[in-house]
Amino acid sequence: MDASLVVTNPTGMRQVERQVGQRYGRWRVAANPTSLASAASAGARLLDRLTALGITYVSDTASMRARSGPAVFECYPYTTLVGVEEFGYDDERPRYKRLAPSVPPAVARQRRAEAFDELVRRVRTRPLDPPLDLDGDPRTRALAEPSVLHGPTHKHREDLLDGVLCAWTAAFWERHGDRRVQVLGGDDGSPSDPRDTAGRLPALVAPAREAQRPAR
């Protein structure tokens, strides 16, 4: 899920959000702050609903692989895109979301559309392990069509692609485990926020190059 699922800090930002900036900032990736005082609580409410339906929250590789049914975890499309080398974003994240404020809006919309189409091209053509097939469903197959500049239409396509990337992150984590994934906020000696009343740790699953891991 691309959402803040477990939030225990009263104010400020979670440790996982700090670690996103610390480890992925070189690629111009950062995370919005979330706290108990912020209005962004939809992810936590969603987790409560999923838990009531019997879906388990996982925040480490061992519990992910030991699950006996559906499980959910928090991830972030940008860390996946810059953390998986095969996508080829070696210098910075693709700018397929927000409009660049430094250029006129018409130019910014065109550049955003081009970045989105290039990202879809890479998803479709790069040799990924496990494979990522956009053609298996007509809705995701349509992402290969040239982007339009209409804002709400672009946002719908962006959200659909982000959902695909989150689902693929789950497959990537299961395939490669800790060898190519790190759990921010996890038990690697880095600071972490308190667990919630259900014993769940605020954590974010992020594919990682060696340069994006903490110094050992």
Side-chain angles (χ1 to χ4, degrees):
M1 294 290 180
D2 178 14
S4 301
L5 298 181
V6 179
V7 181
T8 59
N9 52 309
T11 58
M13 63 167 43
R14 298 179 301 162
Q15 290 294 338
V16 298
E17 291 148 3
R18 288 192 177 90
Q19 291 170 20
V20 167
Q22 291 164 356
R23 303 184 191 182
Y24 297 84
R26 169 182 152 189
W27 286 263
R28 299 184 182 274
V29 173
N32 294 323
T34 312
S35 72
L36 293 173
S38 69
S41 60
R45 295 198 304 272
L46 174 61
L47 180 59
D48 289 340
R49 179 69 182 274
L50 294 174
T51 300
L53 294 173
I55 298 175
T56 304
Y57 173 80
V58 292
S59 58
D60 61 78
T61 300
S63 60
M64 178 272 290
R65 288 189 164 152
R67 72 195 187 281
S68 58
V72 63
F73 63 92
E74 183 177 338
C75 62
Y76 188 24
Y78 274 148
T79 59
T80 294
L81 290 172
V82 302
V84 176
E85 295 181 48
E86 288 86 342
F87 285 118
Y89 291 106
D90 300 326
D91 300 315
E92 67 174 88
R93 59 177 169 79
R95 296 180 176 270
Y96 71 105
K97 291 179 178 286
R98 296 183 180 90
L99 295 175
S102 59
V103 298
V107 176
R109 285 192 290 270
Q110 182 62 41
R111 290 182 181 178
R112 181 178 65 180
E114 292 170 354
F116 184 91
D117 291 347
E118 171 59 18
L119 171 55
V120 171
R121 186 192 68 79
R122 295 188 189 199
V123 168
R124 289 173 58 85
T125 62
R126 294 295 172 104
L128 301 174
D129 180 24
L132 201 172
D133 180 14
L134 292 181
D135 293 334
D137 184 278
R139 292 165 295 184
T140 53
R141 185 165 59 246
L143 293 174
E145 298 172 1
S147 288
V148 298
L149 303 185
H150 180 247
T153 301
H154 179 90
K155 185 65 169 64
H156 174 73
R157 286 162 57 84
E158 173 200 314
D159 289 343
L160 183 57
L161 181 58
D162 282 351
V164 170
L165 291 170
C166 288
W168 184 77
T169 300
F172 188 85
W173 188 20
E174 184 158 38
R175 174 69 60 87
H176 299 286
D178 294 333
R179 186 172 64 87
R180 297 194 63 183
V181 169
Q182 63 181 336
V183 180
L184 305 183
D187 298 323
D188 64 352
S190 300
S192 61
D193 289 310
R195 294 177 181 268
D196 66 7
T197 55
R200 298 174 300 200
L201 182 71
L204 186 143
V205 175
R209 307 167 187 240
E210 280 305 311
Q212 294 161 342
R213 295 179 182 271
R216 302 185 186 276

